[in-house]
Amino acid sequence: MAFNRAMSVIAVRDVVAARDWYARIGFAPHGTWGEPPGFCIVQRGDVSIALERWTGEGPVPKKNGWAVYIYVDDADAFAAELEEAGVSRNGPIYDSPWGMRDSAVDDLDGHTIAFGHPMEPNPNGPGLSSDRGRG
């Protein structure tokens, strides 16, 4: 049995507004469902994020820390894309103790979307070994 990809699902107050925000940072919508929209998938490369409308009381629930981590080829180049799109990062790019060049941005609902690239020659970086969990 092969595991092929994973998709994070995050709660959002307004699916259309969230979809449009993710489009600003290069994620294309790949389906929006419901009226009013209750679910949407956005994708950039092999990275998909599902946006699900929060219908509960109070603020949108969010995870402490990073909601999504995206491995990119060049964190500095993606940070420049964010700046060009007028999206502020929630801190500078930094070299982490786990061997990644990291940064992050908060989306409209306060979910922290982190991104980075490995600083070592291993192209997988932490969290993705060459055997990909087979065994």
Side-chain angles (χ1 to χ4, degrees):
M1 167 64 71
F3 282 48
N4 299 313
R5 299 189 317 146
M7 178 172 65
S8 297
V9 180
I10 57 177
V12 298
R13 180 68 56 198
D14 181 328
V15 170
V16 172
R19 179 194 66 200
D20 294 349
W21 185 88
Y22 280 90
R24 286 178 56 201
I25 62 171
F27 282 79
H30 283 274
T32 302
W33 297 272
E35 190 53 49
F39 193 80
C40 177
I41 297 172
V42 295
Q43 182 177 355
R44 181 169 176 173
D46 288 335
V47 176
S48 297
I49 300 172
L51 310 169
E52 183 174 29
R53 183 170 32 104
W54 171 246
T55 58
E57 299 281 327
V60 170
K62 55 188 177 183
K63 182 182 173 299
N64 290 330
W66 299 337
V68 177
Y69 187 93
I70 301 170
Y71 289 87
V72 297
D73 289 336
D74 185 335
D76 296 282
F78 187 57
E81 281 186 39
L82 292 171
E83 185 174 322
E84 200 171 292
V87 175
S88 299
R89 291 189 327 273
N90 62 2
I93 293 180
Y94 62 95
D95 296 339
S96 72
W98 46 88
M100 297 292 290
R101 183 137 173 87
D102 284 334
S103 192
V105 62
D106 291 338
D107 74 4
L108 294 178
D109 292 287
H111 299 291
T112 300
I113 310 303
F115 60 91
H117 69 256
M119 296 183 306
E120 296 294 318
N122 175 0
N124 294 313
L128 188 59
S129 69
S130 60
D131 74 3
R132 297 194 182 219
R134 293 181 294 265

